[in-house]
Amino acid sequence: MGVALLTSFITTFMGSALNLSIPSIDAEFEAGSRTVNWVITAYMLSCTGLAIPFGYFADRGRQKQILRLGIAIFTIASILAVFFSRIGLLILFRGLQGAGAAMIFSSNIPILIAAFDEDQRGRVLGYAACANYLGLSAGPVLGGVLNTNFGWYFYRDCCDIRHRACGRVAVCCQKRRKSA
């Protein structure tokens, strides 16, 4: 449950945190507002456009594979997005992030439903919804504070922190399964 909740929070947080950083990104890349707005649009388009196809595959019993692949794609795209100095590559990696987020969104809920009994599902799905909305709410607030104080590069620091956290949660879950 920890991985599902953490990824639910992070994908929505990262989807909304950069919105207030558009002027900073524009100032750095000097690409113009039409081009820089694609940093946000690429994430949203790929996330929404791919959610149904990945949901189809998740419904066919491949939830765990899709979740793992989604986390891997999201992680790799997040890391690569901050290390390139061209706006086109940032847009490309944001699109890949959106694809990873679509995989995560389409597999989180089926995994939670399968993992918990009927009497616990409401509570668990409530936690998942809470994690989603906390990410959506915290993204603009924390993103704005971080952007004001550190520039849009806060994004790189968030990537490092979240990937360490996801790795720790995954290791703890693996240890738990082995001991059970």
Side-chain angles (χ1 to χ4, degrees):
M1 181 167 77
V3 171
L5 297 180
L6 186 63
T7 55
S8 292
F9 173 82
I10 287 170
T11 52
T12 54
F13 176 81
M14 293 309 288
S16 62
L18 275 183
N19 291 346
L20 298 174
S21 300
I22 292 295
S24 299
I25 295 170
D26 186 25
E28 180 173 333
F29 289 107
E30 298 175 356
S33 62
R34 287 184 184 169
T35 303
V36 173
N37 280 325
W38 275 100
V39 172
I40 304 301
T41 304
Y43 182 89
M44 294 308 213
L45 274 177
S46 62
C47 187
T48 56
L50 294 173
I52 291 175
F54 290 131
Y56 173 82
F57 291 116
D59 287 344
R60 300 294 178 259
R62 296 187 174 104
Q63 295 100 350
K64 290 181 182 178
Q65 295 94 336
I66 289 177
L67 179 63
R68 287 184 192 122
L69 184 59
I71 291 171
I73 289 172
F74 191 85
T75 301
I76 291 166
S78 297
I79 292 168
L80 291 175
V82 296
F83 290 111
F84 289 96
S85 60
R86 294 181 45 206
I87 189 72
L89 290 172
L90 176 60
I91 293 168
L92 172 72
F93 292 128
R94 284 287 288 172
L96 288 174
Q97 252 189 339
M103 293 173 142
I104 291 167
F105 289 143
S106 65
S107 57
N108 266 348
I109 299 301
I111 288 173
L112 289 175
I113 289 172
F116 291 91
D117 296 329
E118 284 185 37
D119 59 330
Q120 296 176 327
R121 283 186 193 149
R123 179 177 50 86
V124 170
L125 293 176
Y127 290 153
C130 183
N132 275 320
Y133 287 110
L134 279 174
L136 285 170
S137 301
V141 175
L142 293 176
V145 169
L146 293 169
N147 183 54
T148 300
N149 293 310
F150 304 108
W152 81 276
Y153 284 110
F154 77 85
Y155 183 74
R156 173 179 44 217
D157 299 332
C158 287
C159 291
D160 291 342
I161 291 167
R162 84 165 168 253
H163 300 307
R164 285 187 208 136
C166 282
R168 287 189 183 132
V169 169
V171 167
C172 289
C173 289
Q174 290 294 336
K175 287 180 182 177
R176 229 188 214 174
R177 285 187 196 137
K178 289 179 182 176
S179 65

